[in-house]
Amino acid sequence: AVAVRLSGPGPVFFRQQRIGQRGQLFDVLKFRSMRENDDSDVTWAVDGVDGRVTPVGRLLRRTGIDELPQLLNVLRGEMSLVGPRPERPFFVARFGEEVARYADRHRVPVGITGWAQIHGLRGDTSIPERIRLDNHYVEHWSLWTDIVIVARTVKTLFRRDREEVT
C-alpha cells in the first residue's frame, strides 16, 4: 500500500464495477497499478504495452499482489476464492453478443482465481477459450477441483518465470 501511494497521485485502492453471479453489479477492489485514467471501464489493458501501468504496478501485476484486496470482496460475499473472473459491464455486454454461452459463467460466484487462469488464460488472451474453460468449471464443479485450483494458483505465485497478469 505504501509503494502504491508513493508511486504517484491517486488512491491506493482501485475500485471498478464488475458483474458477479446472476449479473449482480459490485465494486471489485485492487491495489492501483495504473496512473489515474478515465477509460479503464472500456479499455482492455495489454501488459508490456499499456503506458498507464506504473513501475510499482508492473511488479504488483506480475506477482498478483494487486488482487489481494479482493479478499475483502470475498468476505463481503461478492466473490469467492475460486470461480470465473468477474468482468466489467462493457465487456460483459460485448462478449455476451460475440461468444456463445458467455452468460452461462454467471451461474456461480465469480472468483479471485479460476480454471481458466490456472490454464494460462489471464490478461489479453482468448476470450472464447476462457469462456469454454469457465463453463467447464461450472458444469463439473467439485470441492477437489477448487482445492486443485487454489494449489496451482499458489504454486504460480512463487514461480520466477511467471508472466504478467491483469
Side-chain angles (χ1 to χ4, degrees):
V2 171
V4 171
R5 188 70 192 120
L6 296 174
S7 71
V12 170
F13 295 107
F14 173 70
R15 298 173 196 281
Q16 187 176 59
Q17 277 199 331
R18 298 288 175 110
I19 303 287
Q21 186 177 17
R22 292 184 295 279
Q24 295 297 311
L25 275 174
F26 71 99
D27 285 341
V28 73
L29 297 171
K30 292 185 174 194
F31 283 120
R32 182 176 52 82
S33 61
M34 293 186 169
R35 290 174 185 80
E36 287 190 285
N37 63 80
D38 294 328
D39 62 351
S40 62
D41 290 335
V42 297
T43 301
W44 197 261
V46 179
D47 287 328
V49 176
D50 198 319
R52 300 172 299 169
V53 179
T54 65
V56 169
R58 231 180 312 310
L59 175 65
L60 293 176
R61 286 172 174 234
R62 187 170 48 249
T63 60
I65 293 172
D66 63 324
E67 310 282 350
L68 202 55
Q70 290 173 35
L71 291 172
L72 294 172
N73 290 111
V74 172
L75 292 174
R76 287 192 268 192
E78 299 162 330
M79 293 179 70
S80 178
L81 289 177
V82 179
R85 288 291 297 153
E87 191 51 78
R88 295 163 281 183
F90 173 84
F91 290 105
V92 168
R94 183 171 132 194
F95 299 153
E97 292 175 4
E98 297 174 358
V99 182
R101 300 188 59 223
Y102 179 81
D104 291 359
R105 63 196 298 278
H106 292 113
R107 294 177 284 171
V108 298
V110 293
I112 294 176
T113 188
W115 193 244
Q117 285 67 43
I118 66 166
H119 285 89
L121 296 171
R122 52 180 86 214
D124 191 28
T125 56
S126 169
I127 298 302
E129 185 63 11
R130 203 181 309 177
I131 301 318
R132 186 183 71 74
L133 290 176
D134 284 345
N135 285 328
H136 175 85
Y137 167 81
V138 170
E139 292 159 7
H140 299 90
W141 179 88
S142 72
L143 180 58
W144 178 248
T145 302
D146 279 3
I147 292 167
V148 168
I149 291 169
V150 169
R152 286 185 58 184
T153 298
V154 169
K155 180 181 171 186
T156 300
L157 292 175
F158 294 103
R159 283 184 38 204
R160 289 183 159 251
D161 62 340
R162 187 167 170 220
E163 295 178 25
E164 285 190 36
V165 296
T166 58

